[in-house]
Amino acid sequence: MPVVYDLVVIGGGINGCGIARDATGRGLKVLLCEMNDLASGTSSWSTKLIHGGLRYLEHYEFRLVREALMEREVLWKIAPHIIRPLRFVLPHQTNARPAWLLRLGLFLYDNIGGRKLLPGTRTLDLRRDSAGRVLAAGVATKGFEYSDCSVDDARLVVLNARDAANRGAEILTRSAVVGASRSGDHWNVDIQHREDGAAGPTKTVHAKTLINATGPWVGSVLGDLACGGPKAKVRLVQGSHIVVPRLYEHDRAYMLQNHDGRIIFTIPYEDKFTLIGTTDHDYTGDPSKVKATDAEIRYLCDAVSGCFVKPVTRESVVWSYSGVRPLYDDGATAAQEATRDYVVELDAPNGAAPLLSIFGGKITTYRRLAEAALQHLEPYLPVAAGLDAGWTAHAPLPGGDHSIEAQAGLADALIKDWPFLSPMEAQRLAGTYGTNARDILGGARERHDLGFAFGAGLSEREVVYLFNNEWAQTGDDILWRRTKLGLHMTRNEAAGLATWLEDYRKTQAPGSASSTTAAARLGL
């Protein structure tokens, strides 16, 4: 008797993994397929913020902003290791939005989202405050300071997948859905495993429901499979970011108003750097080929150089990245005005097996999007024997099973138990893995017990942990998605890691923990 899944989710970004986690916790049988690595698309190319979206108030998106503001502290509580509070400085710049409008927006921001833990807005005298000393002359003498949070976006995705798997979901990475067809009240879904770009075997599974959470490919993936695509249209909007050596010493971010009306963020990043972004313009190419253009990099450099004493030049950019946002096409004239809200489209003609397609959404609202998706599917799915709707608001993500206050002391606790760790190493492990850092360090009593040192504090034991527990297969998976150590490693160190992983993968038999239980069982 073939296995029939309640859900097959296509897409291993934040929306797909969030839906898989929520559904599995409610007792549903779930399979998730991702054609590449988890978070290898839009979900790892964000501005790394959990925020309400202050600028969305200008476009009257009050429902979206309120929901996002409410989610900030919910997510902070369930993932205190990868989400951190961040204060933003908003200078009142000449020839930009008037002060009364900024005050009104910030008043709403402070009061419509049920804020309890994050501090509220305060007014700054930038002639005296340290935040004003790094601004160029004439930019602003007055400003405001408000709260949001930063997040490791790719790790948020992986931790949702890990929790889904812990609860019984089957997660297949590097496995593409190459065919899907309705057969009465279920779907036949053809899945092809891909290793190092080469096509492997194909297996067919059956599902009561198919979820299209493919991000930029939402409008095309199922059409390409000849099973019909969504009726709604997707608007692809490119957003690019640059990373430069740290622009200032304090730990606050800036929200800057550019001369064209766009908002630019500068955010302290990875201790030694500043993250700058983002751009907004329509994109028409292959989403997998997107990259920051020279024009976008110049735009961001010029925008920030006009505001800070320390200029940003093309030569100072140490890393740039770009992603394509799959927004719901609401007919807005400018890309920056297109809605960031999510839209869920259900297709179940004449009682046939349902197809649910996901448009848009923000990382901040992924959990609420998952709840909305499952609510749409309630008439088609069995009564869940697991947790109630809303359970994801309270259950910690892996490594986050401690309080916000305890996170502050976690690095010191690691040093107490593993005294060979430096403060910087302990802080990185605590801020990446939370309490799961203890699983990596295990019974090590001296540094050499962690195995080979690849550079930038990355040990062999950590790499094996990521390989066995977080679906990491390549150097890029580890250096740019599971961590951001790619910013700190030399080219030779990164090449050494890639070579080591290639050799290590050859020693792992199919069906081992690294292959994932689902892939082994399906014979992929």
Side-chain angles (χ1 to χ4, degrees):
M1 188 77 177
V3 175
V4 178
Y5 294 92
D6 294 311
L7 298 177
V8 168
V9 181
I10 312 176
I14 189 59
N15 291 336
C17 291
I19 291 170
R21 179 191 186 224
D22 194 347
T24 306
R26 298 197 207 185
L28 299 175
K29 189 169 185 60
V30 177
L31 172 66
L32 181 143
C33 301
E34 164 55 47
M35 65 179 177
N36 296 309
D37 181 32
L38 298 173
S40 56
T42 303
S43 295
S44 61
W45 305 129
S46 76
T47 313
K48 325 296 185 191
L49 296 178
I50 297 293
H51 68 138
L54 181 59
R55 70 185 180 89
Y56 305 146
L57 291 173
E58 287 186 312
H59 305 300
Y60 310 109
E61 296 208 58
F62 299 112
R63 191 211 68 80
L64 170 63
V65 175
R66 182 174 184 272
E67 183 174 272
L69 288 171
M70 293 171 67
E71 283 296 285
R72 293 178 307 177
E73 294 184 6
V74 170
L75 297 180
W76 185 18
K77 287 179 181 178
I78 66 172
H81 49 319
I82 61 166
I83 295 175
R84 299 171 183 84
L86 185 62
R87 294 291 278 175
F88 283 77
V89 176
L90 173 55
H92 174 226
Q93 296 166 252
T94 308
N95 300 322
R97 293 163 179 83
W100 68 265
L101 183 60
L102 299 182
R103 286 196 194 94
L104 175 60
L106 290 167
F107 175 81
L108 292 172
Y109 212 69
D110 275 348
N111 290 284
I112 66 173
R115 176 183 57 84
K116 295 179 180 178
L117 301 176
L118 294 168
T121 298
R122 69 185 185 107
T123 302
L124 300 178
D125 182 347
L126 294 176
R127 294 168 298 185
R128 294 182 174 84
D129 192 280
S130 60
R133 297 183 197 125
V134 297
L135 294 174
V139 170
T141 58
K142 182 171 70 173
F144 306 93
E145 185 182 282
Y146 69 94
S147 291
D148 268 321
C149 295
S150 65
V151 65
D152 186 327
D153 50 5
R155 286 209 59 75
L156 185 64
V157 175
V158 172
L159 294 182
N160 271 271
R162 182 66 264 165
D163 196 54
N166 290 347
R167 296 174 186 273
E170 299 180 357
I171 309 294
L172 288 178
T173 62
R174 293 175 168 84
S175 298
V177 171
V178 295
S181 59
R182 282 186 172 104
S183 179
D185 62 353
H186 71 272
W187 286 91
N188 299 319
V189 184
D190 302 322
I191 304 168
Q192 183 180 67
H193 186 60
R194 296 174 177 176
E195 195 71 42
D196 297 326
T202 299
K203 293 289 182 179
T204 300
V205 301
H206 308 292
K208 296 175 183 176
T209 303
L210 192 61
I211 295 186
N212 177 5
T214 55
W217 293 272
V218 65
S220 61
V221 63
L222 297 182
D224 291 344
L225 300 176
C227 65
K231 298 178 180 63
K233 292 183 180 180
V234 65
R235 180 173 187 168
L236 301 182
V237 174
Q238 179 174 353
S240 296
H241 298 76
I242 59 175
V243 175
V244 300
R246 192 162 184 158
L247 287 176
Y248 43 84
E249 291 305 313
H250 66 75
D251 60 359
R252 288 174 283 180
Y254 288 84
M255 181 180 183
L256 305 171
Q257 304 173 77
N258 201 22
H259 59 80
D260 59 1
R262 288 219 69 257
I263 295 298
I264 305 293
F265 291 108
T266 70
I267 302 168
Y269 192 60
E270 287 291 307
D271 295 325
K272 299 179 180 179
F273 303 98
T274 298
L275 173 65
I276 300 170
T278 178
T279 60
D280 257 322
H281 61 85
D282 290 310
Y283 183 80
T284 56
D286 180 348
S288 66
K289 305 295 184 185
V290 66
K291 65 177 184 178
T293 66
D294 287 338
E296 286 179 303
I297 293 173
R298 283 197 305 273
Y299 172 87
L300 293 173
C301 289
D302 292 345
V304 174
S305 293
C307 294
F308 287 98
V309 172
K310 186 177 182 179
V312 176
T313 65
R314 181 67 178 84
E315 292 69 32
S316 61
V317 176
V318 298
W319 183 41
S320 64
Y321 65 86
S322 191
V324 176
R325 306 182 191 98
L327 306 182
Y328 175 73
D329 191 352
D330 61 353
T333 303
Q336 68 193 68
E337 296 173 0
T339 182
R340 264 54 176 180
D341 209 346
Y342 53 82
V343 174
V344 176
E345 180 190 282
L346 178 65
D347 178 43
N350 302 316
L355 164 66
L356 196 74
S357 297
I358 308 296
F359 294 83
K362 293 158 44 68
I363 281 183
T364 307
T365 54
Y366 85 88
R367 198 191 61 78
R368 296 291 291 270
L369 182 153
E371 291 178 343
L374 294 177
Q375 185 176 19
H376 276 75
L377 292 173
E378 280 180 0
Y380 307 93
L381 294 173
V383 175
L387 302 171
D388 295 331
W391 71 270
T392 57
H394 311 289
L397 286 167
D401 54 343
H402 57 292
S403 68
I404 290 170
E405 294 76 18
Q407 177 63 32
L410 184 55
D412 289 339
L414 293 179
I415 292 173
K416 182 179 179 180
D417 291 338
W418 290 275
F420 58 83
L421 292 175
S422 70
M424 186 176 295
E425 289 170 328
Q427 195 64 51
R428 183 185 72 81
L429 289 170
T432 303
Y433 303 103
T435 56
N436 283 355
R438 297 182 177 278
D439 295 336
I440 295 173
L441 294 167
R445 288 294 168 258
E446 298 180 19
R447 185 174 299 278
H448 66 76
D449 292 333
L450 299 179
F452 185 78
F454 294 97
L458 182 67
S459 70
E460 182 178 342
R461 187 175 289 205
E462 183 177 352
V463 170
V464 171
Y465 174 87
L466 293 172
F467 187 92
N468 287 333
N469 295 279
E470 295 192 3
W471 300 276
Q473 297 282 305
T474 71
D476 278 357
D477 294 352
I478 290 174
L479 296 182
W480 297 107
R481 286 181 285 276
R482 306 308 183 276
T483 74
K484 289 297 181 289
L485 292 177
L487 280 169
H488 304 276
M489 271 195 177
T490 67
R491 285 187 180 181
N492 286 341
E493 288 170 338
L497 171 64
T499 300
W500 187 94
L501 274 167
E502 254 183 76
D503 294 338
Y504 184 75
R505 281 164 53 196
K506 293 173 185 175
T507 69
Q508 304 305 296
S512 67
S514 60
S515 302
T516 76
T517 303
R521 191 179 60 74
L522 293 171
L524 293 176

